[in-house]
Amino acid sequence: MNITYYGHSCFGVEINGKHLLFDPFITPNELAKNINANTVTADYILISHGHQDHIADAVTIAKRTNAKVICAWEISVWLGKQGIENIQPMNIGGKVKLDFGNVKCVSAIHSSGLPDGTYGGNPMGFVIESSEGNFYYAGDTALTYDMKLIGEYRTIDFAFLPIGDTFTMGVDNAILASEFVNCQDIVGMHYDTFAPIKIDHFEAIQKFESAGKSLTLMKIGETIKK
Ligand code: NI
Ligand code: MN
């Protein structure tokens, strides 16, 4: 799998030739000013919840690419009113089989109001299962014991976890989360974008290392293989 970081919690993941785009928030992100949201590819756009810092570029990219948008039912209705038709509405506990693999929605402890105040349903995380490997994209969430279920059903090869604290888990809880899902290989997200979530990179990486785990903090625009 090729993984490209677009800043904040926005990643492109290429699996079996298909491009998945998670939580598109590029244009308003000062740190991602070198990324052109008009050239980002997507066959699928997965949206964990309705907050602006996860959905800002979703409508524009969905319209340009005609990517299928995977999100909570309430968000799908909101997107539908903005002219998005190619949508896979889901809710927590549900799994769909798609051409690249499976998407399962799992719980996230957070909130999910849309930018205009519309109710966005429950926030979610995603578990992706594919012939190229499995991973967990946590979205915005607190540490929750429910994460143990994720690691019990299948192997999680790597996980995208929020580490910025204040609005989500911080580093210490993310280490526990990685233990809960039984995963050693973590890619950090939801840090540095705004003042309250700025973190010390060196300290974060050291803490994961002391726990016998690896934390990758990707450069914005960087692509890595998993
Ligand atoms: Ni949020
Ligand atoms: Mn957020």
Side-chain angles (χ1 to χ4, degrees), residues 8 49 53-54 140 190:
H8 200 49
H49 65 293
D53 59 320
H54 299 262
D140 278 10
H190 215 273

Side-chain angles (χ1 to χ4, degrees), residues 16-28:
N16 289 320
K18 298 292 172 181
H19 292 88
L20 282 63
L21 181 67
F22 290 85
D23 284 5
F25 171 73
I26 298 165
T27 315

Side-chain angles (χ1 to χ4, degrees), residues 112-135:
S112 183
L114 284 152
D116 61 2
T118 303
Y119 171 61
N122 285 315
M124 309 192 295
F126 299 107
V127 175
I128 309 297
E129 301 166 324
S130 81
S131 60
E132 294 193 358
N134 305 329
F135 66 90

Side-chain angles (χ1 to χ4, degrees), residues 8 48-54 110-113 123 139-141 167-168 190:
H8 200 49
S48 65
H49 65 293
H51 290 160
Q52 167 75 2
D53 59 320
H54 299 262
H110 194 65
S111 56
S112 183
D140 278 10
T141 184
F167 304 110
T168 66
H190 215 273

Side-chain angles (χ1 to χ4, degrees), residues 7-223:
H8 200 49
S9 294
C10 182
F11 293 87
V13 181
E14 190 187 346
I15 312 172
N16 289 320
K18 298 292 172 181
H19 292 88
L20 282 63
L21 181 67
F22 290 85
D23 284 5
F25 171 73
I26 298 165
T27 315
N29 184 358
E30 185 59 27
L31 300 182
K33 57 179 185 297
N34 293 330
I35 306 291
N36 182 357
N38 297 319
T39 60
V40 170
T41 12
D43 299 300
Y44 297 91
I45 300 171
L46 295 90
I47 300 171
S48 65
H49 65 293
H51 290 160
Q52 167 75 2
D53 59 320
H54 299 262
I55 206 171
D57 292 299
V59 170
T60 318
I61 296 176
K63 282 188 178 164
R64 175 175 55 80
T65 59
N66 198 33
K68 187 181 283 292
V69 183
I70 301 172
C71 60
W73 168 260
E74 290 80 357
I75 294 176
S76 80
V77 172
W78 186 80
L79 289 171
K81 287 180 182 156
Q82 295 175 72
I84 306 299
E85 288 171 358
N86 190 10
I87 306 184
Q88 170 67 67
M90 295 187 71
N91 213 329
I92 295 166
K95 177 157 96 174
V96 291
K97 281 187 206 293
L98 297 162
D99 55 1
F100 63 87
N102 300 331
V103 177
K104 184 176 173 85
C105 297
V106 295
S107 56
I109 307 293
H110 194 65
S111 56
S112 183
L114 284 152
D116 61 2
T118 303
Y119 171 61
N122 285 315
M124 309 192 295
F126 299 107
V127 175
I128 309 297
E129 301 166 324
S130 81
S131 60
E132 294 193 358
N134 305 329
F135 66 90
Y136 170 43
Y137 178 92
D140 278 10
T141 184
L143 177 67
T144 158
Y145 227 62
D146 283 356
M147 289 169 177
K148 289 210 166 198
L149 290 169
I150 293 168
E152 277 174 14
Y153 282 110
R154 82 288 279 167
T155 304
I156 297 293
D157 297 301
F158 62 95
F160 297 97
L161 298 180
I163 54 171
D165 225 325
T166 308
F167 304 110
T168 66
M169 299 188 281
V171 169
D172 295 330
N173 278 181
I175 290 169
L176 285 172
S178 62
E179 279 168 17
F180 285 2
V181 300
N182 197 19
C183 176
Q184 319 310 322
D185 187 1
I186 306 305
V187 179
M189 62 180 185
H190 215 273
Y191 63 93
D192 283 1
T193 318
F194 317 108
I197 61 172
K198 283 213 163 46
I199 66 157
D200 181 328
H201 291 207
F202 182 75
E203 186 187 55
I205 289 166
Q206 287 287 310
K207 281 184 169 183
F208 271 85
E209 221 170 84
S210 304
K213 297 180 187 301
S214 144
L215 173 68
T216 303
L217 299 179
M218 293 177 66
K219 289 191 178 65
I220 296 174
E222 183 187 9
T223 300

